Amino acid sequence: MKKLIISGFLLSLFLSGSAGATEYIYRDVMANTLPAHCDIESKAKQAASKPYTVDRFSKRFCQTQGYGWHLEDIKTAGNTVCSPCGDNAQQKCYQEDVVVTCKRIKPGTVGMLPGKG
């Protein structure tokens, strides 16, 4: 008897799928990363265009859109732009025009709404 109840319960768990009614709002954002410290031009360009740096700033771009916004995709990593630092030959570089797609759960598509049964 116990085996029948347990197997029926497990069967119902496997056959029941999620509703999949979650809808998202998408937004494309274009922004620039912040320049790193002054260094030789080749090292500064390499530091500015590292995938880690672009990824970190891309997440931050979406988070600044407000509560619930998350990074969906990095469309373009942008162009590396450098500017001189003072009197010496060092430069500081950053990524210009990084385009990312951010997403957020559409309000009212998940969870319980007041007054709705």
Side-chain angles (χ1 to χ4, degrees):
M1 181 67 178
K2 285 185 180 182
K3 286 184 182 181
L4 182 63
I5 293 172
I6 292 173
S7 62
F9 178 71
L10 290 176
L11 182 65
S12 67
L13 281 177
F14 288 123
L15 293 178
S16 64
S18 62
T22 305
E23 295 179 33
Y24 292 97
I25 300 170
Y26 294 94
R27 180 183 290 175
D28 288 343
V29 178
M30 179 186 289
N32 300 334
T33 64
L34 295 176
H37 62 290
C38 295
D39 209 345
I40 301 169
E41 185 177 1
S42 62
K43 287 185 180 180
K45 281 185 177 182
Q46 183 181 8
S49 62
K50 271 199 257 185
Y52 172 75
T53 305
V54 174
D55 205 33
R56 184 170 49 108
F57 277 103
S58 297
K59 289 177 187 176
R60 192 175 297 168
F61 298 155
C62 290
Q63 291 170 353
T64 58
Q65 298 300 305
Y67 179 76
W69 286 97
H70 300 284
L71 179 66
E72 171 72 14
D73 187 30
I74 301 173
K75 288 189 172 185
T76 59
N79 305 320
T80 306
V81 177
C82 296
S83 61
C85 286
D87 297 335
N88 52 12
Q90 294 182 342
Q91 301 213 353
K92 56 183 174 184
C93 299
Y94 63 95
Q95 291 297 108
E96 185 178 57
D97 297 338
V98 178
V99 179
V100 297
T101 301
C102 304
K103 75 175 181 178
R104 177 178 182 236
I105 294 177
K106 186 175 181 180
T109 60
V110 177
M112 297 179 61
L113 295 175
K116 305 260 178 162

